[in-house]
Amino acid sequence: MAEIASPPPTPLARAERFVWLTARVLEQRLFEHHFLGGTADAVETALAAYRNDDNGYGHALEPDLRGPVSQPLHTAHALRVLDRIGRCDGRQVERICRYLTRISTPEGALPALHPSQRGYPAAPWIPVVDDPPSALLATGPVVGVLHRNEVWNAWLFRATDFCWAAVESLAQTHPYEAEAAVAFLDGAPDRPRAAAAAHRLGRLVRDQGLVLLEPERAAEVPVAQGYAPGEHHFAYDFAAAPGSLARRWFTDAELDRSLDHLASLQQEDGGWPVNWRAWAPGTELECRPMVTLDALLTLRAYGHPIG
């Protein structure tokens, strides 16, 4: 009797093996929560290992910043995790807001990097300065996720004003700042104003060529100075879910091409690649499971088959 061939493993099954082989406990728990019925409590327990006594987060939670000290980008990452598991509320978030208040700039917003990072390794493209300016890159995602979860804290008033002013005055930007602007606008409570700002931002992103709409041309299209080879941004980077205001920036055909491209990037080991510059041995290893989770969640959100 002829043997019946086993069906090839699904993208999700391949990614699961990759996660068990390479991921930190936090990303393993997140994978369990999103795809295997794991609990939010287990994710929170894993996330708590990165929390400091000042109520911020550190310890390379965002892998491009090393060392134990709390940083805005670490804390933004923690809030994103809490948002994804439905736990972005209560006393924990109140304590986080106290940390945000303490390290804010005179404008009431967040710097990309707090000077406490000095002396610890960090990605070379994020300089440590004594008096860092307010940054939409750090502030936008934090304000957006807090508003989306209907968190009301005094810190939000000035930080929200900063984000509106920054987003509505953008004339020249870069993909990561535009993504941070989208994160703010997707959570901003003034929905008509957010829609108008997103419409303007979408034209800016397309006019400045910040999104590659023909993924098959990635190898021949140059990247901006200072970016890693292949560090392109695609429609799914801006519109990670159908409910994002950035979804309106792209036709169905443009979005479908980008999702097909995203699915095709899964590598032999089951994980997705990091396309930004790897500057230290551990950063790519730690980032790939994070990127893999993001890819799976985006594909699933749009109904793209993952198994």
Side-chain angles (χ1 to χ4, degrees):
M1 179 182 294
E3 292 186 6
I4 300 175
S6 300
T10 64
L12 183 60
R14 293 167 58 206
E16 180 180 355
R17 176 173 171 77
F18 172 77
V19 166
W20 296 136
L21 279 172
T22 68
R24 305 181 297 187
V25 173
L26 177 59
E27 281 72 45
Q28 291 180 19
R29 291 301 199 182
L30 280 166
F31 186 91
E32 284 183 315
H33 175 71
H34 289 304
F35 300 104
L36 301 175
T39 67
D41 286 345
V43 178
E44 276 201 277
T45 299
L47 181 63
Y50 298 89
R51 189 172 61 234
N52 285 320
D53 291 341
D54 62 4
N55 296 313
Y57 288 76
H59 304 280
L61 177 56
E62 162 45 64
D64 279 332
L65 301 178
R66 316 305 293 184
V69 295
S70 298
Q71 286 292 326
L73 293 178
H74 293 315
T75 305
H77 189 99
L79 285 169
R80 185 182 181 210
V81 170
L82 293 171
D83 178 44
R84 281 184 165 179
I85 64 173
R87 295 288 178 87
C88 194
D89 55 15
R91 287 189 174 183
Q92 181 170 221
V93 173
E94 289 178 13
R95 290 194 293 267
I96 290 173
C97 287
R98 287 201 291 271
Y99 163 75
L100 299 174
T101 301
R102 191 162 56 253
I103 57 103
S104 287
T105 67
E107 293 174 286
L110 299 174
L113 196 64
H114 190 268
S116 59
Q117 185 66 33
R118 182 173 281 107
Y120 297 104
W125 54 84
I126 312 178
V128 181
V129 297
D130 289 331
D131 188 20
S134 301
L136 181 60
L137 186 71
T139 313
V142 169
V143 173
V145 76
L146 292 176
H147 278 309
R148 184 163 58 252
N149 286 276
E150 299 183 347
V151 172
W152 290 105
N153 184 277
W155 177 79
L156 272 170
F157 290 101
R158 294 180 66 210
T160 301
D161 288 343
F162 166 80
C163 288
W164 279 124
V167 170
E168 292 177 333
S169 65
L170 282 177
Q172 191 76 23
T173 187
H174 57 81
Y176 297 107
E177 185 176 55
E179 290 168 19
V182 171
F184 164 67
L185 294 172
D186 279 345
D190 188 338
R191 302 313 296 155
R193 186 177 180 183
H199 180 70
R200 176 183 172 277
L201 180 63
R203 291 202 311 269
L204 195 66
V205 165
R206 293 181 70 108
D207 290 348
Q208 292 185 9
L210 304 184
V211 57
L212 183 57
L213 297 174
E214 299 171 306
E216 66 278 5
R217 297 183 57 236
E220 61 189 74
V221 175
V223 298
Q225 185 176 3
Y227 282 34
E231 194 175 351
H232 294 293
H233 292 254
F234 303 93
Y236 58 76
D237 288 310
F238 300 97
S244 173
L245 288 171
R247 171 62 186 90
R248 305 175 189 177
W249 300 354
F250 310 108
T251 66
D252 290 348
E254 289 170 341
L255 185 69
D256 287 346
R257 281 198 299 271
S258 81
L259 293 172
D260 288 343
H261 176 70
L262 177 61
S264 75
L265 292 177
Q266 189 175 23
Q267 298 188 329
E268 292 273 336
D269 61 8
W272 268 257
V274 171
N275 71 344
W276 60 88
R277 196 175 302 280
W279 62 276
T283 55
E284 183 175 12
L285 181 65
E286 293 178 351
C287 286
R288 285 194 65 207
M290 296 162 59
V291 170
T292 296
L293 277 167
D294 287 344
L296 291 170
L297 290 170
T298 293
L299 291 169
R300 185 174 70 176
Y302 281 103
H304 202 286
I306 58 174

